[in-house]
Amino acid sequence: MSTECWSEDFIQLNGKHITLTTDIDDLANNADLIAAFDAAVGQWESFWQLPSGSLQDFKVDACVMADKQRFQLDGRIPLSVPDFPFGFALQDRVWVVAQKSQYYTRHLLLHEGVHSLAYHQFGGTGPSWFMEGTAEMLAVHRHFGSDTKINQLPKDRASVPYWGRFKVMDQSRDANTIPSLGSVLGYPRDLQSDVESYGWSWAATMLLYQYPDTRDAFFASAKTPAPNDAVFNNDLKRRLQNTWPVVTARWRLMCHDIDYGFDWSREQVSLSMNDQVWDGKPLKLDIKANQGWQSIGVRLSPGMKLSVTPAGNCTLADQPKPWLSYPSGITLRYHRGRPLGQLLACLLPDTPDQDQATKTNLRPLQVAAITRPSQIPIKENCWLLFRINDVTGELSDNQGGYQLTIDSASK
Ligand SMILES: [Zn+2]
């Protein structure tokens, strides 16, 4: 970082990839922003799989503003820039309104920087869901200054003060207004800084990035300029071809569970359109307590009726002593209204009917407790999945699981 200087009442600081102009006289926080931005650029380069050195000349002119009006009066925000409550990016210029937490100010600076990078490297950002989703994904971070690590799903609320995405996503889940993937892809150009739309856009880009079988399509879409949003979305679906029904099914599951601590390494679901339709022969399965939703591996058709018999036990924590649970769960503690350790079943449609429309909410996931031998009638083409109920982000200390025997009840 170069030496600090005052310019017409503003402080200016230089990093490798950023010139920071600010009215905030806080040496430590300003140094943090510069170091965090410079640290992020190298990580963005490798995230986007760019040849080393591609971002050598990438540098943004950033204003971080406690008093936005001062910057306007000083002519530092062009009149062509629309009014914005949080931040804005225009080619290599970005503006960020200082927030109540240093985390959130840093986050917004990185977020706008990702937009700048998209203009710089790819010649465009894609539709609003992709533009805001990737910017959120590559802005959400842990640590600060030169230790900043991007693309980190927050472990808890305290680590990302005022960011607030999960709070509104949770409210939407409670109100059964989670958007279908189709409606996220159809978001208007101007999201009007709506925090919830940013949250679901982030979730959609994470979903495509996190699964190996959709990641190439995600990168190809980012790097291929499209003349308009419809072409971008159609190209993405074409790249994913037969996987699209699986993507929408994964979307339903992810939206049901995503929250602080959501662990992608445990929450990836094994679903394929190549899964055979069940032949009615008995199945024996282990449902692991340290994993998210687990498919029985076959698809089911209307008219089938399954008998499911659970057995076994698992432990859900080991402090202060192991919490032993059976399929009915432990009523000492609840998650989403159900006892921890309870065996849950979910029927997941394998046809993305609702997602064809662009303005619909997701049908709530059908989840039922299986605490004793039970029968499950099948009314539509679907997968059947199980998981052991636990708080999101607390799967890693679980051990063991339940054994399931599945047989046809219509014999
Ligand atoms: Zn943005």
Side-chain angles (χ1 to χ4, degrees), residues 13-20 37 55-61 92-93 116 120:
L13 296 156
N14 258 300
K16 180 165 165 39
H17 295 288
I18 179 171
T19 298
L20 175 68
F37 196 91
L55 299 180
Q56 190 68 23
D57 301 327
F58 173 64
K59 187 164 187 178
V60 301
D61 206 339
D92 60 353
R93 299 183 68 187
S116 243
H120 181 270

Short mmCIF file of all heavy atoms in Angstrom, two decimals, residues 13-20 37 55-61 92-93 116 120:
data_model
loop_
_atom_site.label_atom_id
_atom_site.label_comp_id
_atom_site.label_asym_id
_atom_site.label_seq_id
_atom_site.Cartn_x
_atom_site.Cartn_y
_atom_site.Cartn_z
N LEU A 13 -5.95 5.92 -0.95
CA LEU A 13 -4.95 4.90 -0.66
C LEU A 13 -4.84 3.99 -1.88
O LEU A 13 -5.84 3.74 -2.55
CB LEU A 13 -5.40 4.04 0.53
CG LEU A 13 -5.52 4.74 1.87
CD1 LEU A 13 -6.48 3.98 2.76
CD2 LEU A 13 -4.16 4.82 2.54
N ASN A 14 -3.65 3.49 -2.10
CA ASN A 14 -3.43 2.62 -3.24
C ASN A 14 -3.00 1.23 -2.84
O ASN A 14 -2.09 1.06 -2.04
CB ASN A 14 -2.34 3.21 -4.14
CG ASN A 14 -2.95 3.89 -5.34
OD1 ASN A 14 -3.63 3.23 -6.13
ND2 ASN A 14 -2.73 5.18 -5.45
N GLY A 15 -3.68 0.24 -3.41
CA GLY A 15 -3.22 -1.15 -3.30
C GLY A 15 -2.79 -1.58 -4.68
O GLY A 15 -2.66 -0.77 -5.60
N LYS A 16 -2.56 -2.90 -4.84
CA LYS A 16 -2.16 -3.39 -6.16
C LYS A 16 -3.34 -3.35 -7.13
O LYS A 16 -3.19 -2.98 -8.29
CB LYS A 16 -1.62 -4.82 -6.03
CG LYS A 16 -1.15 -5.44 -7.34
CD LYS A 16 -0.32 -6.68 -7.06
CE LYS A 16 -0.10 -7.58 -8.26
NZ LYS A 16 0.13 -6.94 -9.53
N HIS A 17 -4.52 -3.75 -6.63
CA HIS A 17 -5.68 -3.87 -7.52
C HIS A 17 -6.78 -2.87 -7.19
O HIS A 17 -7.88 -3.00 -7.70
CB HIS A 17 -6.24 -5.30 -7.43
CG HIS A 17 -5.30 -6.34 -7.94
ND1 HIS A 17 -5.01 -6.51 -9.26
CD2 HIS A 17 -4.55 -7.27 -7.27
CE1 HIS A 17 -4.14 -7.51 -9.41
NE2 HIS A 17 -3.85 -7.97 -8.22
N ILE A 18 -6.49 -1.93 -6.33
CA ILE A 18 -7.54 -1.01 -5.91
C ILE A 18 -6.94 0.36 -5.55
O ILE A 18 -5.87 0.43 -4.93
CB ILE A 18 -8.32 -1.60 -4.71
CG1 ILE A 18 -9.42 -0.64 -4.24
CG2 ILE A 18 -7.40 -1.98 -3.56
CD1 ILE A 18 -10.36 -1.26 -3.20
N THR A 19 -7.62 1.40 -6.00
CA THR A 19 -7.39 2.74 -5.44
C THR A 19 -8.62 3.06 -4.61
O THR A 19 -9.74 3.03 -5.13
CB THR A 19 -7.23 3.79 -6.55
OG1 THR A 19 -6.09 3.45 -7.34
CG2 THR A 19 -7.02 5.18 -5.96
N LEU A 20 -8.42 3.29 -3.34
CA LEU A 20 -9.53 3.54 -2.43
C LEU A 20 -9.64 5.01 -2.12
O LEU A 20 -8.66 5.63 -1.67
CB LEU A 20 -9.32 2.73 -1.14
CG LEU A 20 -10.35 2.96 -0.03
CD1 LEU A 20 -11.72 2.42 -0.42
CD2 LEU A 20 -9.88 2.32 1.28
N PHE A 37 -9.12 -6.72 -0.56
CA PHE A 37 -9.40 -6.69 -2.00
C PHE A 37 -8.25 -7.33 -2.78
O PHE A 37 -8.47 -8.18 -3.65
CB PHE A 37 -9.64 -5.25 -2.47
CG PHE A 37 -10.30 -5.17 -3.81
CD1 PHE A 37 -11.69 -5.12 -3.92
CD2 PHE A 37 -9.55 -5.17 -4.98
CE1 PHE A 37 -12.31 -5.07 -5.17
CE2 PHE A 37 -10.16 -5.13 -6.22
CZ PHE A 37 -11.55 -5.07 -6.32
N LEU A 55 -5.11 -11.23 -14.28
CA LEU A 55 -5.65 -10.06 -13.59
C LEU A 55 -4.54 -9.09 -13.15
O LEU A 55 -4.77 -8.22 -12.31
CB LEU A 55 -6.49 -10.50 -12.39
CG LEU A 55 -7.70 -11.38 -12.75
CD1 LEU A 55 -8.47 -11.78 -11.50
CD2 LEU A 55 -8.63 -10.67 -13.73
N GLN A 56 -3.37 -9.29 -13.75
CA GLN A 56 -2.22 -8.43 -13.42
C GLN A 56 -2.59 -6.94 -13.52
O GLN A 56 -2.24 -6.15 -12.66
CB GLN A 56 -1.08 -8.77 -14.40
CG GLN A 56 0.25 -8.15 -14.05
CD GLN A 56 0.83 -8.76 -12.77
OE1 GLN A 56 0.48 -9.87 -12.39
NE2 GLN A 56 1.70 -8.01 -12.10
N ASP A 57 -3.30 -6.59 -14.58
CA ASP A 57 -3.64 -5.18 -14.82
C ASP A 57 -5.02 -4.79 -14.32
O ASP A 57 -5.49 -3.70 -14.60
CB ASP A 57 -3.57 -4.88 -16.34
CG ASP A 57 -2.20 -5.17 -16.87
OD1 ASP A 57 -1.22 -4.98 -16.13
OD2 ASP A 57 -2.10 -5.60 -18.04
N PHE A 58 -5.67 -5.70 -13.64
CA PHE A 58 -7.03 -5.41 -13.15
C PHE A 58 -6.92 -4.50 -11.93
O PHE A 58 -6.31 -4.85 -10.93
CB PHE A 58 -7.73 -6.72 -12.80
CG PHE A 58 -9.06 -6.55 -12.12
CD1 PHE A 58 -10.13 -5.95 -12.78
CD2 PHE A 58 -9.27 -7.00 -10.82
CE1 PHE A 58 -11.36 -5.81 -12.16
CE2 PHE A 58 -10.49 -6.86 -10.18
CZ PHE A 58 -11.54 -6.26 -10.86
N LYS A 59 -7.50 -3.31 -12.03
CA LYS A 59 -7.46 -2.38 -10.90
C LYS A 59 -8.74 -1.57 -10.88
O LYS A 59 -9.16 -1.03 -11.91
CB LYS A 59 -6.24 -1.45 -11.01
CG LYS A 59 -6.07 -0.59 -9.76
CD LYS A 59 -4.67 0.03 -9.69
CE LYS A 59 -4.50 0.72 -8.33
NZ LYS A 59 -3.18 1.30 -8.15
N VAL A 60 -9.37 -1.50 -9.72
CA VAL A 60 -10.61 -0.73 -9.62
C VAL A 60 -10.37 0.57 -8.87
O VAL A 60 -9.48 0.68 -8.02
CB VAL A 60 -11.75 -1.52 -8.93
CG1 VAL A 60 -12.08 -2.80 -9.67
CG2 VAL A 60 -11.44 -1.79 -7.47
N ASP A 61 -11.20 1.52 -9.23
CA ASP A 61 -11.23 2.82 -8.58
C ASP A 61 -12.43 2.77 -7.64
O ASP A 61 -13.56 2.78 -8.10
CB ASP A 61 -11.43 3.86 -9.68
CG ASP A 61 -10.88 5.19 -9.28
OD1 ASP A 61 -10.71 5.39 -8.08
OD2 ASP A 61 -10.66 6.02 -10.19
N ASP A 92 -14.62 -0.33 -14.38
CA ASP A 92 -13.59 -0.46 -13.33
C ASP A 92 -13.79 0.55 -12.18
O ASP A 92 -12.87 0.80 -11.41
CB ASP A 92 -12.18 -0.31 -13.94
CG ASP A 92 -11.98 1.04 -14.60
OD1 ASP A 92 -12.97 1.80 -14.71
OD2 ASP A 92 -10.85 1.33 -15.02
N ARG A 93 -14.98 1.10 -12.08
CA ARG A 93 -15.27 2.02 -10.96
C ARG A 93 -16.32 1.39 -10.07
O ARG A 93 -17.34 0.88 -10.56
CB ARG A 93 -15.75 3.37 -11.49
CG ARG A 93 -14.72 4.07 -12.36
CD ARG A 93 -15.21 5.44 -12.79
NE ARG A 93 -15.31 6.37 -11.66
CZ ARG A 93 -15.84 7.59 -11.74
NH1 ARG A 93 -16.33 8.01 -12.87
NH2 ARG A 93 -15.87 8.37 -10.68
N SER A 116 -16.97 -5.81 -11.45
CA SER A 116 -15.92 -5.17 -12.24
C SER A 116 -15.08 -6.20 -12.99
O SER A 116 -14.74 -6.03 -14.16
CB SER A 116 -14.99 -4.39 -11.30
OG SER A 116 -15.03 -3.04 -11.58
N HIS A 120 -14.38 -6.78 -16.94
CA HIS A 120 -12.97 -6.77 -17.37
C HIS A 120 -12.59 -8.05 -18.12
O HIS A 120 -11.93 -8.00 -19.16
CB HIS A 120 -12.10 -6.61 -16.12
CG HIS A 120 -10.63 -6.55 -16.36
ND1 HIS A 120 -9.82 -7.67 -16.39
CD2 HIS A 120 -9.79 -5.50 -16.57
CE1 HIS A 120 -8.57 -7.31 -16.60
NE2 HIS A 120 -8.52 -6.01 -16.72
#
